[in-house]
Amino acid sequence: QAPEARALLSQALTYPLSLAAHATTLNLGSEASVTIVGARAEAALSTAWWAELIEAVDSVHDWTLTFVGPEVKPARPTPIQRGTKSLAVKAERRDLAKADLDEADAVVLFNPGVGHPNLAEGWVPALEAIKASGRPLLVTGHSEMDSRRDLTALEARYGALRFAAPPCQNPFRSRVVIVDPADATHMTSANAWAFVVEGL
């Protein structure tokens, strides 16, 4: 494959494979429900891409992925069956303040920008819901700087966090690199860095 083709593939696969890589750290068993809060690009992916979770995580038996956010296009649950393994993918357009996490076993924030000055205030209701849920949380970032800015914002609000996986470069990051329009020296890519906390 040409480098350009691999990069484009990685842009889609980064989401399911990043979740798969942290499934054990998130304590996801054979039956699990994962809520992706503030979903954007990942919610627009074809379910065929998310089906890679079935192949990538041995323990998957019956998983449900729920995309929640104001930018999500609502969609009925789409079941995927491979042998004895099943995965249901659904999308719900909801304000972040109403992110229902009662049935979630884990929460994911893909590239949220919770520490970005233009986005931080809008994330507060969702973060409070996540804290109240007590669920483990996977957070990715567009770069090391982005990830550490998010972490700083979370610790400023909730104090020292208990890491299940400390911040590090994500081996399943997108290989599509984009220059930050606000800083030409800042290279970004989807899910470049990631960390998991036991709860906020």
Side-chain angles (χ1 to χ4, degrees):
Q1 291 179 335
E4 294 84 359
R6 288 198 298 271
L8 288 174
L9 281 173
S10 75
Q11 185 75 347
L13 286 170
T14 182
Y15 295 100
L17 295 185
S18 294
L19 175 55
H22 294 91
T24 301
T25 312
L26 290 166
N27 297 316
L28 298 176
S30 60
E31 297 182 5
S33 177
V34 179
T35 300
I36 297 94
V37 176
R40 300 180 303 272
E42 61 273 23
L45 285 179
S46 163
T47 53
W49 293 110
W50 286 105
E52 293 301 315
L53 279 170
I54 293 176
E55 306 299 334
V57 183
D58 291 337
S59 64
V60 171
H61 176 66
D62 184 6
W63 276 23
T64 300
L65 301 183
T66 304
F67 299 101
V68 175
E71 298 179 34
V72 170
K73 181 180 179 181
R76 293 179 179 177
T78 303
I80 303 163
Q81 190 82 31
R82 290 188 181 174
T84 61
K85 294 184 171 188
S86 67
L87 175 71
V89 180
K90 57 183 180 176
E92 300 174 359
R93 177 176 289 165
R94 269 195 253 143
D95 187 83
L96 294 182
K98 299 176 181 176
D100 184 359
L101 303 175
D102 288 346
E103 297 182 3
D105 296 300
V107 179
V108 178
L109 303 179
F110 283 121
N111 312 296
V114 296
H116 193 285
N118 295 336
L119 303 174
E121 187 176 340
W123 272 106
V124 171
L127 294 176
E128 290 298 304
I130 294 167
K131 177 177 173 56
S133 76
R135 304 300 193 266
L137 173 67
L138 166 63
V139 183
T140 70
H142 283 115
S143 66
E144 179 179 5
M145 183 187 83
D146 185 41
S147 195
R148 294 199 181 282
R149 181 172 56 193
D150 285 352
L151 177 57
T152 297
L154 291 174
E155 291 191 322
R157 188 170 189 87
Y158 300 111
L161 301 176
R162 303 180 308 279
F163 289 107
C168 66
Q169 190 175 58
N170 177 16
F172 297 105
R173 64 193 178 279
S174 171
R175 267 36 180 195
V176 175
V177 177
I178 298 172
V179 179
D180 184 342
D183 181 358
T185 66
H186 182 209
M187 301 293 112
T188 70
S189 60
N191 306 318
W193 274 60
F195 60 88
V196 175
V197 294
E198 296 174 10
L200 293 179

